[in-house]
Amino acid sequence: MKIIVGISGGIAAYKVPQLVRLLKKRGHEVQCVVTAHALEFVTKVTLETVSERRLYCDLFDDGNERTTEHISLKDWGDVLLLAPATANIIGKMANGIGDDALSTLLLSFGGKPMFVCPAMNTQMAENVAVAENLRVLEERGVRVMDYEVGELACGAVGKGRMAEPEKIVEWLEEKLEEGKSMRGKRVLITAGPTYEKIDAVRFIGNYSSGKMGFALAEEFAERGAEVTLVAGPCNQTTKSRGVRRIDVESAQEMYDAATEAFERADVAILSAAVADFRPDHQEEQKIKKQGDGGMTLKLVQNPDILATLGKRKREGQLLVGFALETNNEMTYATEKLKKKGLDMIVMNSLRDEGAGFGTDTNKVTIIDKAGNVESGELKSKREVAGDIADAVERQMENK
Ligand code: C5P
């Protein structure tokens, strides 16, 4: 997730580098944005080092890519965490004041989730205006973390401390989970190619990179689903905590893992390029050349995972297949949808440049069993995964 950490000028700002490190360790990307006063408590070098991104602190900084950087940052960020939030920035936020980099960003961030960790002296925290401002923010959907009670920087003991970074991360992730659309749903995804062994050193494979399946796994995990990713041999990695990865090699192994996981799945999306055939037997040793003659490999059919799941599908389960075609795309895809008992099929054509195997982009047409057809543009595989997830969620609502 892309998190913007807004830092205003309170002593608790000294805890923010640790907070940023924790968020990064959990696999998030972090962009820090500070007020001028925050830099009295924590340095630019520290924040840039821990976040691994340039710090944004001044609307008119020469280093800004453009003067509308706060607008591009609001497009970049998925959520904004304001920690520590002083009485001043809370007041600006509640009253629509934008007079520096952070406050203008807060104004433009509307519609996306915002989280506020207030920190201030007890008297300030109990001030009616501050309490009223926080109430207004909560009414507008901003999540506000409770103050901690304890020793304050001024020496007094009372309400107003900012929680420790570990606790903030826990709170943030818990709140983010609550709002997720696929929370509590189990999604099975197959990805990548399969390798069908010929002998000790050779196999029959295909050019599938696994990128589309991994993008789908990450997209669904980000939407709160519990994802089981059955992956054929490929070089993809995922840091997503919501993804349980099972590595397999052959179609038969993929079949075994997928049919088992399907028992508990709400949704299954089979994006793997599964070999239709395998050698009828595998040689233990490397096969040697014999004379000048050629050689014949006898192939037998692999089980069709998608068709099997189509037959086993229970009420309420949703099954999505992929169709990679080179010609007569719509006809073949629609036939496959019916024949394999699918709810939806994602079609991509090798005739479209930038679509299909290996590329970082894809161009797909999503067809559902009611006959609705949605044709997409050429997009990144992650964006395509978002479109597929949207279509899946729409189908689930109608089930
Ligand atoms: O029939 P075809 O192989 O073109 O169908 C493609 C779809 O079927 C993909 O979703 C693919 O993952 C799935 N498939 C499968 N098991 C096979 C062959 C294809 O799950 N043995």
Side-chain angles (χ1 to χ4, degrees):
M1 184 161 277
K2 295 190 172 89
I3 303 179
I4 295 179
V5 175
I7 309 154
S8 55
I11 181 68
Y14 83 90
K15 296 178 182 173
V16 174
Q18 177 65 5
L19 174 66
V20 173
R21 287 203 65 198
L22 285 175
L23 290 170
K24 295 269 298 180
K25 266 203 191 142
R26 313 280 285 196
H28 301 295
E29 284 178 69
V30 177
Q31 166 70 53
C32 294
V33 180
V34 291
T35 62
H37 284 167
L39 289 179
E40 301 290 332
F41 300 96
V42 59
T43 74
K44 180 172 189 245
V45 175
T46 310
L47 292 172
E48 289 191 336
T49 307
V50 288
S51 68
E52 295 175 282
R53 289 180 71 91
R54 202 178 66 77
L55 183 69
Y56 180 48
C57 47
D58 186 344
L59 274 171
F60 306 107
D61 191 314
D62 286 346
N64 290 353
E65 271 171 33
R66 45 186 107 81
T67 38
T68 53
E69 188 136 335
H70 55 292
I71 303 296
S72 35
L73 277 182
K74 76 111 177 96
D75 292 335
W76 179 88
D78 298 314
V79 301
L80 191 147
L81 173 65
L82 185 56
T86 58
N88 184 47
I89 196 83
I90 291 166
K92 286 187 195 174
M93 206 177 166
N95 292 287
I97 296 169
D99 62 356
D100 65 358
L102 181 56
S103 52
T104 47
L105 175 63
L106 289 169
L107 282 184
S108 62
F109 210 72
K112 292 193 191 183
M114 290 199 265
F115 300 85
V116 170
C117 301
M120 64 199 76
N121 156 279
T122 312
Q123 272 76 42
M124 292 170 77
E126 284 175 353
N127 178 286
V128 184
V130 175
E132 179 66 14
N133 285 337
L134 283 174
R135 196 187 53 75
V136 166
L137 291 181
E138 279 192 304
E139 267 174 22
R140 292 183 195 150
V142 175
R143 315 302 284 257
V144 178
M145 193 176 190
D146 288 337
Y147 298 103
E148 297 261 299
V149 177
E151 200 178 316
L152 302 169
C154 56
V157 174
K159 157 172 130 173
R161 276 172 65 94
M162 187 175 85
E164 293 306 313
E166 289 78 8
K167 211 168 160 189
I168 296 178
V169 173
E170 212 175 283
W171 171 78
L172 176 72
E173 290 191 335
E174 199 183 290
K175 293 284 173 260
L176 285 172
E177 284 302 317
E178 278 173 15
K180 287 186 174 174
S181 51
M182 290 293 292
R183 191 166 175 239
K185 299 285 178 220
R186 296 199 184 97
V187 179
L188 161 68
I189 292 167
T190 66
T194 63
Y195 284 0
E196 309 301 322
K197 194 172 167 191
I198 300 172
D199 66 13
V201 295
R202 303 182 179 96
F203 60 84
I204 299 172
N206 61 66
Y207 293 119
S208 168
S209 63
K211 282 179 186 164
M212 192 63 239
F214 275 67
L216 280 163
E218 294 197 331
E219 179 67 29
F220 277 96
E222 203 152 278
R223 293 179 184 221
E226 222 181 278
V227 177
T228 301
L229 173 65
V230 182
C234 61
N235 288 324
Q236 305 302 314
T237 53
T238 173
K239 279 211 257 175
S240 189
R241 285 184 311 123
V243 178
R244 181 173 70 104
R245 175 176 179 169
I246 303 173
D247 286 307
V248 296
E249 191 171 295
S250 64
Q252 185 62 50
E253 284 171 17
M254 187 172 277
Y255 176 92
D256 293 340
T259 46
E260 197 196 321
F262 188 62
E263 292 291 311
R264 294 168 358 108
D266 299 293
V267 179
I269 306 177
L270 304 204
S271 69
V274 188
D276 289 327
F277 301 99
R278 66 173 182 277
D280 73 339
H281 72 282
Q282 285 85 42
E283 291 291 340
E284 284 302 315
Q285 310 299 334
K286 182 178 169 189
I287 301 170
K288 292 284 175 205
K289 239 190 303 193
Q290 280 172 355
D292 298 329
M295 88 167 265
T296 307
L297 261 185
K298 185 158 183 282
L299 302 178
V300 292
Q301 240 188 62
N302 273 327
D304 190 317
I305 308 168
L306 188 55
T308 307
L309 300 191
K311 286 197 196 97
R312 293 191 187 173
K313 196 163 64 121
R314 295 186 311 268
E315 187 67 30
Q317 282 184 311
L318 203 117
L319 186 58
V320 183
F322 267 69
L324 176 65
E325 305 291 350
T326 53
N327 59 318
N328 284 338
E329 293 87 347
M330 276 303 275
T331 319
Y332 286 143
T334 317
E335 275 172 12
K336 214 172 281 180
L337 176 94
K338 291 202 183 99
K339 207 172 93 202
K340 298 200 187 193
L342 312 183
D343 296 283
M344 201 187 287
I345 193 151
V346 181
M347 191 212 50
N348 40 177
S349 169
L350 274 187
R351 283 196 291 186
D352 286 324
E353 207 170 308
F357 282 169
T359 55
D360 287 325
T361 50
N362 208 356
K363 183 172 186 301
V364 303
T365 300
I366 302 172
I367 309 157
D368 70 21
K369 65 173 181 221
N372 299 312
V373 178
E374 190 188 319
S375 296
E377 296 301 314
L378 185 70
K379 295 178 184 176
S380 73
K381 284 190 169 163
R382 184 56 192 264
E383 284 173 303
V384 172
D387 292 345
I388 296 170
D390 286 344
V392 163
E393 287 195 30
R394 276 198 301 274
Q395 285 259 330
M396 287 173 84
E397 278 166 24
N398 297 335
K399 275 237 161 197

